Short mmCIF file of all heavy atoms in Angstrom, two decimals:
data_model
loop_
_atom_site.label_atom_id
_atom_site.label_comp_id
_atom_site.label_asym_id
_atom_site.label_seq_id
_atom_site.Cartn_x
_atom_site.Cartn_y
_atom_site.Cartn_z
N ALA A 42 43.85 41.56 -27.19
CA ALA A 42 44.54 42.02 -28.39
C ALA A 42 43.81 43.10 -29.17
O ALA A 42 44.44 44.06 -29.65
CB ALA A 42 44.80 40.82 -29.31
N LEU A 43 42.49 42.98 -29.33
CA LEU A 43 41.77 43.92 -30.19
C LEU A 43 41.84 45.37 -29.70
O LEU A 43 42.12 46.28 -30.51
CB LEU A 43 40.32 43.48 -30.37
CG LEU A 43 39.46 44.36 -31.28
CD1 LEU A 43 40.07 44.51 -32.66
CD2 LEU A 43 38.04 43.81 -31.39
N PRO A 44 41.63 45.65 -28.40
CA PRO A 44 41.75 47.05 -27.97
C PRO A 44 43.13 47.63 -28.25
O PRO A 44 43.24 48.80 -28.65
CB PRO A 44 41.47 46.98 -26.46
CG PRO A 44 40.65 45.74 -26.29
CD PRO A 44 41.18 44.77 -27.30
N ARG A 45 44.17 46.83 -28.06
CA ARG A 45 45.53 47.32 -28.34
C ARG A 45 45.73 47.59 -29.83
O ARG A 45 46.40 48.55 -30.21
CB ARG A 45 46.55 46.31 -27.82
CG ARG A 45 46.65 46.30 -26.30
CD ARG A 45 47.71 45.33 -25.80
NE ARG A 45 47.99 45.57 -24.39
CZ ARG A 45 47.26 45.13 -23.39
NH1 ARG A 45 46.18 44.40 -23.65
NH2 ARG A 45 47.57 45.40 -22.13
N THR A 46 45.14 46.73 -30.68
CA THR A 46 45.23 46.96 -32.12
C THR A 46 44.54 48.26 -32.49
O THR A 46 45.07 49.07 -33.27
CB THR A 46 44.58 45.79 -32.89
OG1 THR A 46 45.29 44.58 -32.61
CG2 THR A 46 44.59 46.04 -34.39
N LEU A 47 43.34 48.48 -31.96
CA LEU A 47 42.61 49.71 -32.26
C LEU A 47 43.37 50.94 -31.79
O LEU A 47 43.42 51.97 -32.49
CB LEU A 47 41.23 49.67 -31.59
CG LEU A 47 40.28 48.56 -32.07
CD1 LEU A 47 39.02 48.54 -31.22
CD2 LEU A 47 39.93 48.74 -33.54
N LEU A 48 44.00 50.86 -30.61
CA LEU A 48 44.78 51.98 -30.09
C LEU A 48 46.03 52.20 -30.94
O LEU A 48 46.35 53.34 -31.30
CB LEU A 48 45.15 51.71 -28.63
CG LEU A 48 44.01 51.84 -27.62
CD1 LEU A 48 44.41 51.21 -26.29
CD2 LEU A 48 43.64 53.30 -27.42
N HIS A 49 46.76 51.12 -31.23
CA HIS A 49 48.02 51.23 -31.97
C HIS A 49 47.80 51.78 -33.38
O HIS A 49 48.58 52.60 -33.87
CB HIS A 49 48.69 49.86 -32.04
CG HIS A 49 50.00 49.87 -32.77
ND1 HIS A 49 50.11 49.51 -34.09
CD2 HIS A 49 51.25 50.22 -32.36
CE1 HIS A 49 51.37 49.62 -34.47
NE2 HIS A 49 52.08 50.06 -33.45
N GLU A 50 46.71 51.32 -34.03
CA GLU A 50 46.46 51.74 -35.40
C GLU A 50 45.55 52.97 -35.48
O GLU A 50 45.19 53.40 -36.57
CB GLU A 50 45.87 50.57 -36.20
CG GLU A 50 46.84 49.40 -36.27
CD GLU A 50 46.32 48.24 -37.08
OE1 GLU A 50 45.30 48.39 -37.80
OE2 GLU A 50 46.93 47.16 -36.99
N ARG A 51 45.20 53.51 -34.31
CA ARG A 51 44.38 54.72 -34.22
C ARG A 51 43.08 54.58 -35.02
O ARG A 51 42.69 55.47 -35.78
CB ARG A 51 45.17 55.96 -34.67
CG ARG A 51 46.41 56.22 -33.82
CD ARG A 51 47.10 57.52 -34.15
NE ARG A 51 46.25 58.68 -33.97
CZ ARG A 51 45.95 59.24 -32.79
NH1 ARG A 51 46.44 58.72 -31.68
NH2 ARG A 51 45.18 60.31 -32.73
N ILE A 52 42.41 53.45 -34.82
CA ILE A 52 41.12 53.19 -35.45
C ILE A 52 40.04 53.65 -34.48
O ILE A 52 39.92 53.13 -33.37
CB ILE A 52 40.95 51.70 -35.79
CG1 ILE A 52 42.01 51.28 -36.81
CG2 ILE A 52 39.54 51.42 -36.30
CD1 ILE A 52 42.04 49.79 -37.09
N ALA A 74 39.37 50.45 -18.74
CA ALA A 74 40.20 51.64 -18.90
C ALA A 74 40.86 51.66 -20.28
O ALA A 74 40.95 52.71 -20.93
CB ALA A 74 41.26 51.69 -17.81
N LEU A 75 41.30 50.48 -20.74
CA LEU A 75 41.91 50.38 -22.07
C LEU A 75 40.88 50.65 -23.16
O LEU A 75 41.14 51.38 -24.12
CB LEU A 75 42.53 48.99 -22.26
CG LEU A 75 43.52 48.82 -23.41
CD1 LEU A 75 44.74 49.70 -23.20
CD2 LEU A 75 43.95 47.36 -23.52
N LEU A 76 39.67 50.11 -22.97
CA LEU A 76 38.60 50.33 -23.95
C LEU A 76 38.24 51.81 -24.04
O LEU A 76 37.95 52.32 -25.12
CB LEU A 76 37.36 49.52 -23.58
CG LEU A 76 37.52 48.00 -23.50
CD1 LEU A 76 36.17 47.34 -23.25
CD2 LEU A 76 38.17 47.43 -24.75
N ALA A 77 38.26 52.48 -22.91
CA ALA A 77 37.91 53.90 -22.89
C ALA A 77 38.92 54.74 -23.66
O ALA A 77 38.61 55.86 -24.09
CB ALA A 77 37.81 54.39 -21.45
N GLY A 78 40.13 54.23 -23.86
CA GLY A 78 41.15 54.96 -24.59
C GLY A 78 41.02 54.89 -26.10
O GLY A 78 41.68 55.64 -26.82
N VAL A 79 40.16 53.99 -26.60
CA VAL A 79 39.96 53.87 -28.04
C VAL A 79 39.29 55.15 -28.56
O VAL A 79 38.34 55.66 -27.95
CB VAL A 79 39.10 52.63 -28.38
CG1 VAL A 79 38.79 52.57 -29.88
CG2 VAL A 79 39.81 51.36 -27.93
N LEU A 80 39.78 55.67 -29.66
CA LEU A 80 39.29 56.92 -30.23
C LEU A 80 37.79 56.87 -30.50
O LEU A 80 37.26 55.82 -30.87
CB LEU A 80 40.02 57.23 -31.54
CG LEU A 80 41.51 57.57 -31.44
CD1 LEU A 80 42.10 57.68 -32.84
CD2 LEU A 80 41.70 58.87 -30.68
#
Side-chain angles (χ1 to χ4, degrees):
L43 181 56
R45 287 182 167 80
T46 297
L47 297 173
L48 287 165
H49 181 262
E50 298 182 13
R51 299 187 59 78
I52 297 173
L75 196 62
L76 300 185
V79 175
L80 292 173

